[in-house]
Amino acid sequence: MKIKLPSVKSLWLQASMVVRRFPLQVLIAVAASVILCFLVALDSRNGSLNDVLIKSLLVLNFGLALLLSADLFAEARRWSAGPVWTMRLLVILLCLGLFLLLDPQVFTADKYRVVLLAFAFHLLVSFAPFTGGSGTLNDFWLYNKSLFIRFLTAALYAAVLYAGLAIALAAVDGLFAVQISYKVYLSLFSIVAAGFMTVFFLAGVPTVFVRGDLKEAYPKGLKVFTQYVLIPLMTIYLGILLVYELKIIVNGELPKGLVSMLILGYAVFGILSLLLVYPIRTQEGHGWIRLFSRFFYVMMIPLVILLLLAVWARVSRYGITEPRYLLVILALWLAFITVYFLLSRKQNIMLIPVSLCVLALLAVYGPQSASSLSRFSQQSRLKKLMASKDKEDVAQRAGVVDYLVDMHGLPALQAFTKRDLADVEQRILRATESAPRFTRLAAQKDSAFAILKVTRPHEVMRYVVLKPTGGALQVSGYDYVIPVNGYSSRTESEIGSVPVVVEHVAAGKLHLQIGTAKVVQLDLTSAFNKLSKIYQKGAASHFSGDSFSLPEQYFSLCASAAGYDYCLKLTSVSFYHGDAKPDEPEAQPAYEGYLLIRVK
């Protein structure tokens, strides 16, 4: 087999054609490459800028899929330049709106919206040229086959190109001791994956959509893969699932949650197999394929029933969340598709991507969306749990609070308190603007548990370092300074020839004694609890990582006895939230500071 490499001239002509045909898509590929390279070079501590760049990449992905769908839709109808650019402008405005509306770095619910939108927009590419009844099902299949093969080819070319260039860089590094940074390899991967691969894929997007009869030869490799690999694997999984269904019927038990994913996985690969063999499913000499095509949806009936039972078991007990919402929608969609292909004579395969695209878009915004129904379901569940005195119900409160803050932010709990949670959330976000997302989210959860007085489970932990504002320690007016910390149970020093003993006699209890004078006790627990409560209210200012600052007066514990003034100045307090009481840190947090002593 001879492989003919493309000439420089042909590559240039193809690149020029792609730019003329898809100018905005090429611009998006270049912009994505630049942003990725900038992210690689950017200091990871610059959280706010990282978030903006990552969101820009997500919206560029939306724009790529939407613009490609719009251009293919226009090409199939041979629109002139005016309407084409009008539609492109509308797509750009939509993407700008999504950029302003979505904030996946703050709200987990927006992460689901991003996934759903990306899924819907990419599905749109698969049927955009055929909306309105243009073309046949054979045309639709050939078009998507071309896209599928072109994507695999682009991925292969990109992988080979990156491997070759990376090896070349490694050779230069080894031979000339250039010391090439790992960031250079990441930048190279970004350029190849986002730039080269995208443009290469666009160069192979079909230009003809209506081809009439299926005259092209069916790819032999595709047939072999489907007939001898994919379908036999699906048959094995089907046997396992049917045996499991028989087991739960005999035992009279509800299905496990894992079975839902197995059934959906079987359905996805089974439907994919049917789509791959669609043109040859009724031809002579393909008995195994014909048998599989005929009985696949029949055998899906018991599996769909099992899936619906598994979904009902989870939702009836724990309510709806975004993942369960998607599971419910997929279960109902699978039931609909099964009934349709069993009863319909037309067997319209385009219904599969169209229906999935519509469902994904409906799940993004609106009262029927995943976010709205999940938030309402969990808020209703929390109301029942807060009113209940049952030990198990009380234990479940923390999980619901954790979910609502994680997915929807503090305002989702507004019905349970008179505090203005939107204002609390904004103060926390401003104070932690440059912090990683987990730090901001943890601060919101700390406030939620404290305000609602909900006991936190042990697995909900948060490490916090509190420091006094200002930096330099004020020691004026004192005669002696002794370093102390929470790691040493006993610290000994001297003032002249008089011994000084600082000792932790119990958790949170610090004893100070100079010579034979009366022992002075400082209550550290009270001071730590006060710091914790102030932090949970969002009053602390974030300045780095897990570190927050509060006014210096909260870090001082002073006392007088036997001719001496004592003042413990804490320079840092570190603790975990998540013990039995929501408003208390651990019994003995780690701390560092100085004991100041003044002779009266």
Side-chain angles (χ1 to χ4, degrees):
M1 179 180 178
K2 294 183 179 180
I3 300 178
K4 185 178 179 181
L5 296 176
S7 64
V8 175
K9 181 179 179 181
S10 65
L11 288 175
W12 173 254
L13 290 175
Q14 288 187 30
S16 301
M17 182 273 293
V18 173
V19 173
R20 288 194 302 270
R21 188 183 178 197
F22 302 120
L24 295 181
Q25 291 88 330
V26 172
L27 187 61
I28 285 175
V30 174
S33 300
V34 172
I35 291 175
L36 283 170
C37 291
F38 193 67
L39 276 171
V40 169
L42 193 64
D43 190 340
S44 60
R45 291 174 295 181
N46 198 329
S48 57
L49 182 56
N50 277 337
D51 291 347
V52 171
L53 294 177
I54 291 172
K55 187 162 69 167
S56 299
L57 284 174
L58 296 174
V59 174
L60 286 175
N61 180 269
F62 296 162
L64 180 65
L66 281 174
L67 286 168
L68 183 57
S69 301
D71 285 350
L72 294 174
F73 177 86
E75 283 185 7
R77 285 151 185 77
R78 299 182 180 180
W79 282 7
S80 60
V84 169
W85 279 101
T86 300
M87 190 157 54
R88 288 172 175 171
L89 179 60
L90 292 175
V91 170
I92 292 173
L93 292 176
L94 174 61
C95 290
L96 288 175
L98 290 173
F99 180 85
L100 298 174
L101 191 61
L102 295 171
D103 198 354
Q105 284 76 27
V106 176
F107 304 112
T108 304
D110 278 355
K111 291 184 178 180
Y112 284 91
R113 291 190 175 100
V114 166
V115 173
L116 288 168
L117 287 171
F119 180 66
F121 295 159
H122 284 77
L123 281 175
L124 187 60
V125 177
S126 69
F127 62 85
F130 302 94
T131 53
S134 59
T136 64
L137 291 180
N138 285 339
D139 297 328
F140 171 76
W141 188 90
L142 283 171
Y143 161 76
N144 280 279
K145 183 212 73 172
S146 298
L147 290 182
F148 180 65
I149 292 178
R150 186 65 182 185
F151 175 79
L152 294 179
T153 305
L156 177 62
Y157 274 53
V160 172
L161 178 62
Y162 173 73
L165 294 174
I167 291 172
L169 286 175
V172 171
D173 191 356
L175 294 174
F176 301 100
V178 180
Q179 295 183 345
I180 298 175
S181 170
Y182 74 95
K183 291 187 176 183
V184 175
Y185 292 93
L186 292 177
S187 297
L188 175 63
F189 179 81
S190 301
I191 294 171
V192 172
F196 169 80
M197 183 175 169
T198 302
V199 175
F200 187 88
F201 170 79
L202 292 173
V205 173
T207 56
V208 179
F209 308 109
V210 180
R211 305 181 187 183
D213 295 333
L214 189 61
K215 296 180 181 179
E216 295 187 12
Y218 187 85
K220 186 177 180 180
L222 193 59
K223 172 188 169 183
V224 172
F225 172 74
T226 305
Q227 185 172 1
Y228 297 108
V229 178
L230 205 53
I231 292 179
L233 282 176
M234 292 301 98
T235 305
I236 293 172
Y237 278 107
L238 174 63
I240 294 172
L241 290 171
L242 291 177
V243 170
Y244 175 72
E245 184 166 16
L246 181 62
K247 173 179 175 290
I248 67 171
I249 292 174
V250 172
N251 295 339
E253 60 185 18
L254 289 174
K256 297 180 180 179
L258 176 63
V259 74
S260 301
M261 303 309 298
L262 293 176
I263 293 174
L264 287 175
Y266 170 77
V268 168
F269 285 105
I271 292 173
L272 176 62
S273 301
L274 292 180
L275 292 175
L276 291 176
V277 299
Y278 174 78
I280 61 172
R281 71 192 189 286
T282 58
Q283 294 179 4
E284 294 296 328
H286 302 102
W288 176 240
I289 292 177
R290 185 165 59 251
L291 182 66
F292 180 79
S293 302
R294 182 177 302 173
F295 288 101
F296 172 78
Y297 288 109
V298 174
M299 300 310 298
M300 279 302 302
I301 295 176
L303 296 184
V304 168
I305 295 174
L306 179 62
L307 176 60
L308 291 172
L309 283 174
V311 171
W312 175 81
R314 298 294 294 176
V315 172
S316 62
R317 184 173 182 180
Y318 301 110
I320 299 175
T321 59
E322 277 80 355
R324 291 176 201 146
Y325 175 96
L326 297 179
L327 191 59
V328 170
I329 293 299
L330 288 173
L332 295 175
W333 174 82
L334 192 56
F336 165 74
I337 288 295
T338 299
V339 172
Y340 171 80
F341 279 98
L342 283 174
L343 301 180
S344 174
R345 294 182 178 180
K346 189 176 181 181
Q347 303 283 297
N348 187 350
I349 58 175
M350 193 162 63
L351 179 65
I352 293 173
V354 171
S355 58
L356 281 175
C357 179
V358 172
L359 287 176
L361 291 176
L362 289 174
V364 176
Y365 286 110
Q368 80 295 327
S369 68
S371 176
S372 296
L373 289 180
S374 298
R375 182 173 62 250
F376 175 78
S377 174
Q378 293 303 315
Q379 286 172 336
S380 301
R381 181 178 170 222
L382 183 59
K383 287 180 182 178
K384 294 179 182 179
L385 294 176
M386 295 293 280
S388 174
K389 301 298 182 181
D390 182 77
K391 190 173 182 180
E392 184 178 350
D393 289 343
V394 172
Q396 292 182 27
R397 294 174 183 172
V400 182
V401 172
D402 188 81
Y403 161 84
L404 286 171
V405 176
D406 188 15
M407 288 289 180
H408 308 286
L410 276 174
L413 298 170
Q414 188 61 67
F416 301 93
T417 180
K418 295 181 180 179
R419 290 279 300 275
D420 186 353
L421 295 184
D423 178 65
V424 174
E425 181 178 78
Q426 288 303 313
R427 285 193 287 111
I428 292 174
L429 293 178
R430 285 194 299 268
T432 60
E433 184 177 2
S434 60
R437 180 185 181 274
F438 72 87
T439 299
R440 287 176 284 172
L441 183 61
Q444 293 178 68
K445 290 180 180 180
D446 288 342
S447 297
F449 283 109
I451 293 171
L452 270 61
K453 296 182 173 57
V454 173
T455 301
R456 304 188 67 165
H458 280 278
E459 60 268 17
V460 182
M461 302 292 285
R462 167 79 177 117
Y463 185 72
V464 178
V465 180
L466 297 179
K467 296 184 178 183
T469 305
L473 186 67
Q474 294 287 340
V475 296
S476 60
Y478 288 88
D479 302 312
Y480 304 98
V481 178
I482 301 175
V484 294
N485 61 68
Y487 305 104
S488 302
S489 60
R490 181 183 177 94
T491 301
E492 296 182 1
S493 186
E494 289 184 354
I495 296 179
S497 59
V498 180
V500 179
V501 178
V502 182
E503 185 176 11
H504 293 97
V505 295
K509 303 297 181 182
L510 187 67
H511 281 186
L512 311 175
Q513 186 172 17
I514 300 179
T516 58
K518 182 180 178 181
V519 173
V520 175
Q521 178 173 289
L522 297 180
D523 185 3
L524 298 181
T525 300
S526 177
F528 294 153
N529 288 344
K530 187 175 183 180
L531 284 169
S532 176
K533 290 177 180 178
I534 295 172
Y535 162 75
Q536 291 181 50
K537 291 178 181 179
S541 299
H542 175 263
F543 63 89
S544 176
D546 295 307
S547 298
F548 297 81
S549 62
L550 287 168
E552 189 272 339
Q553 65 263 26
Y554 297 116
F555 294 83
S556 300
L557 289 85
C558 300
S560 297
Y564 295 95
D565 290 329
Y566 304 87
C567 199
L568 178 63
K569 297 277 189 177
L570 301 173
T571 56
S572 72
V573 178
S574 308
F575 51 82
Y576 284 94
H577 280 292
D579 285 338
K581 297 182 180 180
D583 57 346
E584 293 184 8
E586 57 187 358
Q588 182 59 63
Y591 74 89
E592 293 181 351
Y594 295 90
L595 175 62
L596 308 182
I597 302 175
R598 177 172 54 217
V599 181
K600 290 186 179 180

